[in-house]
Amino acid sequence: MKKIAVVGAGLVGSLQAILLAQKGYHVSVFERRPDLRKATLIGGKSINLALSDRGWKALEIAGIAEDIRQIAIPMYNRCMHALDGTLTYQPYGVNNEAIYSVSRGGLNQKLMNLADNYPNIEYFFDRKCLDVNLKTNTLSFQNEQTKELEQFESDKIFATDGAYSAVRMRMQKSMTFNYSQKYLDHGYKELVIPANADGSHKLDKNCLHIWPRGEFMMIALANLDGSFTCTLFFPMEGETSFETLKTREQVAAFFDKTFPDAVGMMPTLLDDYFENPTSSLIMVRCEPWNYKDNIVLLGDAAHAIVPFYGQGMNCGFEDCTVFNEMYDESKGDWTGLLSRFSDQRVPDANAILDLALDNYVEMRDKTADPEFLLQKKIEGKFSRLHPDKWTPLYSQVTFSNTRYSDALKNGRKQDALMQEILKIENIHEKWDEPFVMDKMLELIS
Amino acid sequence: MKKIAVVGAGLVGSLQAILLAQKGYHVSVFERRPDLRKATLIGGKSINLALSDRGWKALEIAGIAEDIRQIAIPMYNRCMHALDGTLTYQPYGVNNEAIYSVSRGGLNQKLMNLADNYPNIEYFFDRKCLDVNLKTNTLSFQNEQTKELEQFESDKIFATDGAYSAVRMRMQKSMTFNYSQKYLDHGYKELVIPANADGSHKLDKNCLHIWPRGEFMMIALANLDGSFTCTLFFPMEGETSFETLKTREQVAAFFDKTFPDAVGMMPTLLDDYFENPTSSLIMVRCEPWNYKDNIVLLGDAAHAIVPFYGQGMNCGFEDCTVFNEMYDESKGDWTGLLSRFSDQRVPDANAILDLALDNYVEMRDKTADPEFLLQKKIEGKFSRLHPDKWTPLYSQVTFSNTRYSDALKNGRKQDALMQEILKIENIHEKWDEPFVMDKMLELIS
C-alpha cells in the first residue's frame, strides 16, 4: 500500500485524507497546531464560512454533507444596510437557493472525526514542517512538544498547508516555479453582535448582512448561538483606515457615523476593536502546483484568494473533487496525473481570484448603487423569462459546478451586453417594458 | 561608527560597499562563494555584460570608470545576420555612442580590489546566508569552510545577494511583501566562436552580433582574447526547443540550417552544446524593497530582469547612484530613507523589466522585419533633424539617465505616433519626402 503524506489538517487536508483513504492508501496527516478538538478556539479571526454547491459536492463525496447541514444556517438574501437604516434585500439565487453559514472550527472537527473512522489515516499534531527533500520525497518536521526533528518519507505528498505553505516555499526555491503573492490594501477585523437575552438573533439570521460604504464595508453572518460574527473590511492605511482609527473616541465616533443601525447592537465594540487583531489578506497564484509525480499543492497553498465571493473553501474542496475525478479516470495511474491536474485547475483558481476581487468592489460599493441594482433587476427578469439563456454570474459561481474560468468568461460577456442595455434612453423608466427583453434576446444571439 | 552588512559580493554589493565606506561606515561584505580572485571561473554561464551610461555613472562615482574602460570593447552597431548571410548594421546611438562589452568576472575583481583600499571594508567569503532575524537585525551564516554557524549583528543590512536572495526570502515570509517570480519560457546556453590563430576576431568586434530567427535568436559579444561569447536564447520546451534537440546529429543539422554563416566559426559547437548547462531566466518584482529603516534590497535581489536590454547590471548600479543621491539629500539621516528609496525605485525597476521583455521580441523578431527597419529609419531621420523633439527609446534607456519609468511612457507615445506614420499610403516609397517629417512634427505637438 502506497504511503501518502498530507501536510496540514485544515479543511482541505482532512477532506483529501478521507478521499485518499477511501482509495486504499495509508495516509499520514501532519499538522503544525495542536488537535483543535482538544484546544480552545483562538478568537478574533473570522471563522464563518459560506458553504455553497462546490463545497457541498465534495462533502457529499466524503459522505458528511448531511451532518454538516445540521450545523449550517441558510442565507437566502443579501441584506444591505443603508446609512439611513433602510434595508434592501437581494436574493442570492433565482430558484430560492441559499449559501450556508458554517463555523470553520465545527466543520474541521467533523471532518477529523470522520477521518478517525479510517484505520488507514493517522494524524500527527504539533508537527511544524521545516523542509522537504525533493529528491527523496522526505518531509522534515519539528515536533513542537519534544522539540525534536522528525523525518517522514512517503510516496506522495499532498500539501494543504495554507496560504503560507512551507512545502510551496520549498518548491519556489528549487524548481521552475512561477509564483506571486500580493497583499490587498485592505485588511479585516472581527467584531460581534451578541444574541438577545433569550438566545434569538438580533437580525434576520437567514441573510448575509452587508453595510456597503464605498471604499469599505462591514458584513455579518449568523452563528447557531444567536450571535453574528461581523467582519469589517477596511483600508490598512490612508485617511480613513485602521492606521488612523487610534483611540476609543475615534472608533466610537466613526461607528456612530458610519454604521448607526449596527452600533447599538454591538455592546463590546470598543473592546473587540482593540483586542482583536487586524489581519491582512494575501493573494497567492502559482504554477505548476505539482513537483513531478510526487508532490501536489491543494487549497490555499495553491491559490489563496480574497474572501469576497465566499469561495475560498469551496474552491479548495473542488480541488479535491477534481483530483478525485481525474484519479478515477486515470484508473489510479499516477504517471503525469499531478501535472495534468495542475494544468486543469490553475486557470480556474486564477479565475476565482479575479472574480473575488471584482466582487469586493461590487459588495462594498455597487450594492448601494441604483444603476447596479437596476442592472440586477433587468438581468433577474430576463433570467426568469429565459432561464436557459441566462444564468446569473453569481449563480454560475455559487450554485453550479461550471468551471470558474468559464464563469468568468460568461460573466464578462454578460456585463458587456448589459452595458448596451443600460445605454437605452430612459432605461430607468422603461426597464420593465417588453422591448428591453427583446433587445436582450437579440443581443444574446 | 555605524556597522553595515552587505550580503553578496557581486557587482552591486561590491560597488555599494565602496560607496558606503566612502561615507565613513564600517562595512562587512558576506559572500556565499569563495573569493573569485583566487578561484577559477566557472564557464558555461554567460559572463559578458554590456555597460552603458547608467553603469558608467556609478563607476565614475566610485572612481573606477577609467580602469574599466581599459578592459571594455565598444560596440557601436547591432549587426544582424540574415539566414542568407546578409549583414545589416544598425547604429545604437544617434551620436556615435557605444555600449561596452565587459567581462563580469573582470569587473567584479576590479571592484573588489578597489574595495580592499578601504580599511573600513572587510570581506567574508564562503558565508552562506541562512536567515535574518528581523527584530535584532542579525544575520546567520554557515561558514562553508568550517561548517560552523556564525551570527552577525549590524545597524543596517544591504541585500545584494541576487535573483535568489536569501534575505528577500526572509522578508517574503515575514512581512506584508508583494512578490512575484516568473520564469521565461525561453532559456539560454553559452557557446563560443574562438579567435583566429593570430588572436584576431573572426567577426567585427565593435558590433553586437545578432542572428534573429523569429521565435529565438543567437547573439555574440567580443572578448579581449579575440573570441566571441555566443548565447543562444531558445524555447525550453516545444517543437523547436532545448527539449527536442537531443542528439549531436539534431544539433548539427539545426545549426547548419539556422545559423549557416556562424556554424563554420564554431568548431567546438557540439561539445559546447552538450557540456554547457541550459540556464533558465527568472524575472523578479517585489515591493517594498525595505524592512523598516534596517534592511534594503538592491540589484537582482530587488529586480531580476531578462537580459535583452543589456540593463540588468546598469539598473543595479543605478540603484547605488540613486541611493547615494537620496542619502546625500537626507544628510545621512536614515529615518524613512529606505522606504522613500523603495518608493522611488520600484516603478523604474518594473519599467525596465517591461522594456527588456519588449526588446526580446524586437531583437529576435523585429530586427529582421522590413517594416520595423523602415520605422527605425524614419525615427532616425526625424531625430537627426529635431534632436530636441525626439530621443529614440533605445537612447533614453541606454545613453541617458532618464528614469526608466519615464522612458517607458515616452516610448509608448512614440510608438503610437509611428503607427500613424506607417499608415501613410506607400510609406515605403515616400518615407524620405519632407511631408513625412512635417506630419511627425504636427503629431508630436
Side-chain angles (χ1 to χ4, degrees), chain A residues 217-250:
Chain A
M217 68 174 179
M218 185 166 76
I219 66 170
L221 282 83
N223 296 311
L224 290 172
D225 67 0
S227 67
F228 280 86
T229 299
C230 304
T231 312
L232 173 67
F233 294 98
F234 204 53
M236 295 295 265
E237 298 175 5
E239 207 182 313
T240 306
S241 70
F242 284 122
E243 194 188 42
T244 55
L245 287 190
K246 279 183 187 155
T247 66
R248 292 176 78 91
E249 291 67 33
Q250 284 170 331

Short mmCIF file of all heavy atoms in Angstrom, two decimals, chain A residues 217-250:
data_model
loop_
_atom_site.label_atom_id
_atom_site.label_comp_id
_atom_site.label_asym_id
_atom_site.label_seq_id
_atom_site.Cartn_x
_atom_site.Cartn_y
_atom_site.Cartn_z
N MET A 217 -16.45 48.16 3.90
CA MET A 217 -17.76 47.57 4.23
C MET A 217 -17.64 46.74 5.51
O MET A 217 -16.56 46.34 5.92
CB MET A 217 -18.26 46.67 3.10
CG MET A 217 -17.45 45.40 2.90
SD MET A 217 -18.22 44.31 1.67
CE MET A 217 -17.02 42.96 1.65
N MET A 218 -18.79 46.50 6.11
CA MET A 218 -18.88 45.52 7.20
C MET A 218 -19.88 44.46 6.76
O MET A 218 -20.84 44.76 6.05
CB MET A 218 -19.32 46.19 8.49
CG MET A 218 -19.32 45.26 9.70
SD MET A 218 -19.46 46.16 11.27
CE MET A 218 -21.22 46.58 11.26
N ILE A 219 -19.63 43.21 7.15
CA ILE A 219 -20.60 42.15 6.89
C ILE A 219 -20.89 41.42 8.20
O ILE A 219 -20.13 41.53 9.17
CB ILE A 219 -20.10 41.13 5.83
CG1 ILE A 219 -18.88 40.35 6.35
CG2 ILE A 219 -19.76 41.82 4.53
CD1 ILE A 219 -18.50 39.16 5.46
N ALA A 220 -22.00 40.68 8.23
CA ALA A 220 -22.33 39.88 9.42
C ALA A 220 -22.99 38.57 9.00
O ALA A 220 -23.88 38.56 8.14
CB ALA A 220 -23.26 40.66 10.35
N LEU A 221 -22.50 37.47 9.57
CA LEU A 221 -23.07 36.13 9.32
C LEU A 221 -23.52 35.54 10.65
O LEU A 221 -22.84 35.65 11.67
CB LEU A 221 -22.02 35.21 8.70
CG LEU A 221 -21.72 35.37 7.21
CD1 LEU A 221 -20.72 36.49 6.98
CD2 LEU A 221 -21.21 34.07 6.61
N ALA A 222 -24.66 34.87 10.61
CA ALA A 222 -25.26 34.32 11.83
C ALA A 222 -24.52 33.09 12.34
O ALA A 222 -24.01 32.28 11.56
CB ALA A 222 -26.72 33.97 11.57
N ASN A 223 -24.48 32.97 13.66
CA ASN A 223 -23.99 31.76 14.32
C ASN A 223 -25.17 31.03 14.95
O ASN A 223 -26.23 31.62 15.19
CB ASN A 223 -22.97 32.12 15.40
CG ASN A 223 -21.73 32.77 14.82
OD1 ASN A 223 -21.16 32.26 13.86
ND2 ASN A 223 -21.34 33.91 15.38
N LEU A 224 -24.98 29.75 15.27
CA LEU A 224 -26.06 28.94 15.86
C LEU A 224 -26.50 29.46 17.22
O LEU A 224 -27.65 29.28 17.62
CB LEU A 224 -25.61 27.48 16.00
CG LEU A 224 -25.44 26.69 14.69
CD1 LEU A 224 -24.80 25.35 14.98
CD2 LEU A 224 -26.78 26.50 13.98
N ASP A 225 -25.58 30.11 17.96
CA ASP A 225 -25.89 30.55 19.32
C ASP A 225 -26.64 31.88 19.39
O ASP A 225 -26.79 32.46 20.46
CB ASP A 225 -24.61 30.63 20.15
CG ASP A 225 -23.69 31.75 19.67
OD1 ASP A 225 -24.04 32.46 18.69
OD2 ASP A 225 -22.60 31.92 20.25
N GLY A 226 -27.09 32.38 18.24
CA GLY A 226 -27.84 33.63 18.23
C GLY A 226 -26.99 34.86 17.96
O GLY A 226 -27.53 35.94 17.72
N SER A 227 -25.69 34.70 18.00
CA SER A 227 -24.83 35.85 17.73
C SER A 227 -24.56 35.97 16.23
O SER A 227 -24.87 35.07 15.44
CB SER A 227 -23.51 35.69 18.49
OG SER A 227 -22.78 34.60 17.95
N PHE A 228 -23.98 37.10 15.86
CA PHE A 228 -23.47 37.30 14.50
C PHE A 228 -21.98 37.59 14.58
O PHE A 228 -21.54 38.35 15.45
CB PHE A 228 -24.15 38.51 13.82
CG PHE A 228 -25.50 38.21 13.25
CD1 PHE A 228 -26.64 38.29 14.06
CD2 PHE A 228 -25.66 37.84 11.93
CE1 PHE A 228 -27.89 38.01 13.55
CE2 PHE A 228 -26.92 37.57 11.41
CZ PHE A 228 -28.04 37.65 12.22
N THR A 229 -21.24 36.98 13.68
CA THR A 229 -19.84 37.38 13.52
C THR A 229 -19.80 38.48 12.48
O THR A 229 -20.24 38.28 11.34
CB THR A 229 -18.98 36.19 13.06
OG1 THR A 229 -19.06 35.17 14.04
CG2 THR A 229 -17.53 36.62 12.87
N CYS A 230 -19.30 39.65 12.90
CA CYS A 230 -19.16 40.77 11.97
C CYS A 230 -17.72 40.85 11.52
O CYS A 230 -16.80 40.57 12.29
CB CYS A 230 -19.51 42.09 12.65
SG CYS A 230 -21.14 42.11 13.38
N THR A 231 -17.52 41.26 10.28
CA THR A 231 -16.17 41.50 9.80
C THR A 231 -16.13 42.86 9.13
O THR A 231 -16.93 43.14 8.23
CB THR A 231 -15.73 40.41 8.78
OG1 THR A 231 -16.03 39.12 9.32
CG2 THR A 231 -14.25 40.51 8.49
N LEU A 232 -15.22 43.68 9.61
CA LEU A 232 -15.00 44.99 9.00
C LEU A 232 -13.85 44.87 8.02
O LEU A 232 -12.73 44.54 8.41
CB LEU A 232 -14.67 46.03 10.08
CG LEU A 232 -14.25 47.43 9.57
CD1 LEU A 232 -15.42 48.14 8.88
CD2 LEU A 232 -13.70 48.27 10.72
N PHE A 233 -14.13 45.07 6.72
CA PHE A 233 -13.08 45.12 5.70
C PHE A 233 -12.76 46.59 5.46
O PHE A 233 -13.67 47.37 5.13
CB PHE A 233 -13.53 44.44 4.41
CG PHE A 233 -13.75 42.96 4.57
CD1 PHE A 233 -15.01 42.44 4.78
CD2 PHE A 233 -12.67 42.08 4.55
CE1 PHE A 233 -15.22 41.08 4.94
CE2 PHE A 233 -12.86 40.71 4.71
CZ PHE A 233 -14.14 40.22 4.91
N PHE A 234 -11.50 46.96 5.59
CA PHE A 234 -11.17 48.37 5.80
C PHE A 234 -9.74 48.62 5.31
O PHE A 234 -8.88 47.75 5.46
CB PHE A 234 -11.27 48.61 7.31
CG PHE A 234 -11.53 50.03 7.73
CD1 PHE A 234 -12.60 50.74 7.21
CD2 PHE A 234 -10.74 50.63 8.69
CE1 PHE A 234 -12.85 52.04 7.63
CE2 PHE A 234 -10.98 51.93 9.11
CZ PHE A 234 -12.04 52.63 8.58
N PRO A 235 -9.49 49.82 4.75
CA PRO A 235 -8.11 50.11 4.31
C PRO A 235 -7.11 50.01 5.46
O PRO A 235 -7.42 50.39 6.58
CB PRO A 235 -8.19 51.56 3.79
CG PRO A 235 -9.62 51.76 3.43
CD PRO A 235 -10.40 50.94 4.43
N MET A 236 -5.94 49.45 5.17
CA MET A 236 -4.90 49.34 6.19
C MET A 236 -4.31 50.72 6.50
O MET A 236 -3.98 51.01 7.64
CB MET A 236 -3.77 48.41 5.72
CG MET A 236 -4.18 46.97 5.53
SD MET A 236 -4.68 46.13 7.07
CE MET A 236 -3.14 45.32 7.53
N GLU A 237 -4.13 51.53 5.43
CA GLU A 237 -3.53 52.86 5.58
C GLU A 237 -4.37 53.89 4.85
O GLU A 237 -5.21 53.54 4.05
CB GLU A 237 -2.10 52.87 4.99
CG GLU A 237 -1.16 51.92 5.67
CD GLU A 237 0.19 51.87 4.97
OE1 GLU A 237 0.41 52.64 4.01
OE2 GLU A 237 1.03 51.04 5.39
N GLY A 238 -4.10 55.16 5.13
CA GLY A 238 -4.81 56.21 4.41
C GLY A 238 -5.69 57.01 5.34
O GLY A 238 -5.72 56.78 6.55
N GLU A 239 -6.45 57.93 4.73
CA GLU A 239 -7.22 58.89 5.52
C GLU A 239 -8.17 58.21 6.49
O GLU A 239 -8.19 58.52 7.69
CB GLU A 239 -8.00 59.80 4.57
CG GLU A 239 -8.28 61.17 5.16
CD GLU A 239 -9.09 62.02 4.19
OE1 GLU A 239 -8.72 62.07 2.99
OE2 GLU A 239 -10.08 62.62 4.63
N THR A 240 -9.01 57.29 5.97
CA THR A 240 -9.91 56.54 6.84
C THR A 240 -9.44 55.10 6.81
O THR A 240 -9.65 54.38 5.83
CB THR A 240 -11.36 56.62 6.29
OG1 THR A 240 -11.71 58.01 6.14
CG2 THR A 240 -12.34 55.96 7.24
N SER A 241 -8.79 54.66 7.87
CA SER A 241 -8.12 53.36 7.83
C SER A 241 -7.83 52.86 9.22
O SER A 241 -7.97 53.58 10.21
CB SER A 241 -6.81 53.48 7.05
OG SER A 241 -5.87 54.23 7.81
N PHE A 242 -7.44 51.59 9.29
CA PHE A 242 -7.01 51.02 10.57
C PHE A 242 -5.90 51.86 11.19
O PHE A 242 -5.80 51.98 12.41
CB PHE A 242 -6.53 49.57 10.37
CG PHE A 242 -7.65 48.58 10.19
CD1 PHE A 242 -7.74 47.79 9.05
CD2 PHE A 242 -8.61 48.42 11.18
CE1 PHE A 242 -8.76 46.86 8.90
CE2 PHE A 242 -9.65 47.49 11.03
CZ PHE A 242 -9.72 46.71 9.89
N GLU A 243 -5.06 52.42 10.33
CA GLU A 243 -3.92 53.21 10.82
C GLU A 243 -4.38 54.47 11.54
O GLU A 243 -3.78 54.88 12.53
CB GLU A 243 -3.05 53.59 9.62
CG GLU A 243 -1.68 54.11 9.95
CD GLU A 243 -1.00 54.64 8.68
OE1 GLU A 243 -1.67 55.32 7.87
OE2 GLU A 243 0.19 54.36 8.51
N THR A 244 -5.47 55.08 11.02
CA THR A 244 -5.85 56.39 11.58
C THR A 244 -6.87 56.29 12.71
O THR A 244 -7.02 57.24 13.48
CB THR A 244 -6.41 57.31 10.47
OG1 THR A 244 -7.48 56.64 9.80
CG2 THR A 244 -5.34 57.66 9.45
N LEU A 245 -7.61 55.15 12.79
CA LEU A 245 -8.54 55.00 13.91
C LEU A 245 -7.77 54.50 15.12
O LEU A 245 -7.58 53.30 15.31
CB LEU A 245 -9.65 54.00 13.56
CG LEU A 245 -10.73 54.45 12.58
CD1 LEU A 245 -11.87 53.43 12.54
CD2 LEU A 245 -11.29 55.82 12.92
N LYS A 246 -7.33 55.43 15.97
CA LYS A 246 -6.37 55.04 17.00
C LYS A 246 -6.95 55.00 18.41
O LYS A 246 -6.54 54.18 19.22
CB LYS A 246 -5.18 56.02 16.98
CG LYS A 246 -4.18 55.68 15.91
CD LYS A 246 -3.00 56.63 15.99
CE LYS A 246 -2.05 56.41 14.81
NZ LYS A 246 -1.28 57.62 14.53
N THR A 247 -7.87 55.91 18.71
CA THR A 247 -8.37 55.98 20.09
C THR A 247 -9.80 55.43 20.17
O THR A 247 -10.50 55.31 19.16
CB THR A 247 -8.39 57.45 20.57
OG1 THR A 247 -9.36 58.16 19.78
CG2 THR A 247 -7.03 58.11 20.38
N ARG A 248 -10.23 55.12 21.37
CA ARG A 248 -11.60 54.64 21.58
C ARG A 248 -12.60 55.69 21.12
O ARG A 248 -13.64 55.34 20.53
CB ARG A 248 -11.82 54.31 23.07
CG ARG A 248 -11.01 53.10 23.53
CD ARG A 248 -11.16 52.85 25.03
NE ARG A 248 -12.40 52.21 25.38
CZ ARG A 248 -12.58 50.89 25.46
NH1 ARG A 248 -11.60 50.07 25.17
NH2 ARG A 248 -13.76 50.37 25.82
N GLU A 249 -12.27 56.96 21.32
CA GLU A 249 -13.16 58.04 20.91
C GLU A 249 -13.29 58.05 19.38
O GLU A 249 -14.40 58.19 18.85
CB GLU A 249 -12.64 59.40 21.39
CG GLU A 249 -12.70 59.62 22.90
CD GLU A 249 -11.75 58.71 23.69
OE1 GLU A 249 -10.65 58.38 23.17
OE2 GLU A 249 -12.13 58.30 24.81
N GLN A 250 -12.17 57.90 18.69
CA GLN A 250 -12.20 57.92 17.22
C GLN A 250 -13.03 56.75 16.69
O GLN A 250 -13.85 56.92 15.78
CB GLN A 250 -10.78 57.84 16.65
CG GLN A 250 -10.00 59.16 16.76
CD GLN A 250 -8.54 58.99 16.41
OE1 GLN A 250 -7.97 57.92 16.59
NE2 GLN A 250 -7.91 60.07 15.93
#
